[in-house]
Amino acid sequence: MNLRAILIGNSDGIGLAATKRLLAAGWNIAGISRSESPITNTSYHHQVADVSAAEYSGLLNKLVMKDPVDLCIYFAGIGQLLDPLDMTIEERIIDVNLTGMVRTAAAVIPQMVRRGQGHFIGISSLADELLSYEAPSYHASKAGVSNYLGGLALALKPKGVYVTNVRFGFVDTKMAKGNVQPFKMSVEKAVDHLELCISKRPIRYTAPKISIPLVKFRKLMMKLGGK
Ligand SMILES: NC(=O)c1ccc[n+]([C@@H]2O[C@H](COP(=O)([O-])OP(=O)(O)OC[C@H]3O[C@@H](n4cnc5c(N)ncnc54)[C@H](OP(=O)(O)O)[C@@H]3O)[C@@H](O)[C@H]2O)c1
């Protein structure tokens, strides 16, 4: 097997666990994040970069021009509770979670379309359907991620390129903060779901499914005026 993947935001959490799993399965991988990667493997190459930096798109373009990729997974994400007295982080959350993913797609997908093959996966969240008074920028960014990936999937399927929107509930990483985290998954379980997505290439994938009724209930409560 000589498949090549590029993973964005993979120095920690779900991205790091996915990198290890794909390397074990024989993939050649390039990774990007702001910190160095703990991985040392001859099939792995890491670049330190920030997805919101001006030079990010150029770096990515160079990487995919050199070696075309079969798979790109965008993991990079941040979230923070809203502080109405200091909202400077709000723009950055949208920039990293949504705009960074769109920048990544713009660098990677044309090369996939030219080859008539490839798979782009973005990591969204069950939060994409919910309004949030606590973290509106995170929820808005994920609503944008899911909406964008859905449209992109429809546009690219006839060209042989697959796009998957993965909507996770709580996953046990440093990002999952807060006291109430129903049906939280282990990172390894999240990567099991990702492996399934890589082989089946669905347009939209939600995990764990048991969280779906909970989200529906939350939406109903919000409609009725609750938080
Ligand atoms: N954990 C959950 O409960 C959960 C649930 C649903 C969806 N998700 C989504 O899953 C994805 C991965 O989250 P996680 O839980 O694995 O979080 P995590 O452990 O905090 O990992 C986030 C990764 O993103 C990278 N990153 C953050 N900002 C970046 C930037 N500006 N440029 C480049 N890389 C950046 C981080 O690396 P550096 O800090 O080195 O840059 C890190 O490798 C996120 O999109 C998140 O929204 C998570």
Side-chain angles (χ1 to χ4, degrees), residues 9-15 32-35 49-52 75-78 92 96 123-125 138 142 168-171 173-176:
N10 68 332
S11 59
D12 204 352
I14 309 167
I32 297 181
S33 70
R34 290 167 306 170
S35 357
D50 186 321
V51 297
S52 59
F75 295 98
I78 53 171
R92 179 150 175 82
V96 172
I123 311 296
S124 190
S125 158
Y138 183 78
K142 293 304 182 184
F168 279 141
F170 292 106
V171 183
T173 69
K174 71 176 184 308
M175 177 177 274

Side-chain angles (χ1 to χ4, degrees), residues 176-198:
K177 300 165 193 142
N179 300 327
V180 188
Q181 297 177 8
F183 310 121
K184 185 159 76 178
M185 266 184 285
S186 69
V187 168
E188 292 306 323
K189 187 71 201 167
V191 178
D192 290 345
H193 287 295
L194 273 177
E195 279 196 315
L196 195 70
C197 289
I198 292 167

Side-chain angles (χ1 to χ4, degrees), residues 2 7 13 27 32 34 46 82-83 91 102 112 114 217:
N2 197 20
L7 308 186
W27 287 76
I32 297 181
R34 290 167 306 170
H46 194 82
L82 174 70
D83 176 356
E91 182 184 350
V102 175
M112 289 179 172
R114 278 194 284 277
F217 178 71

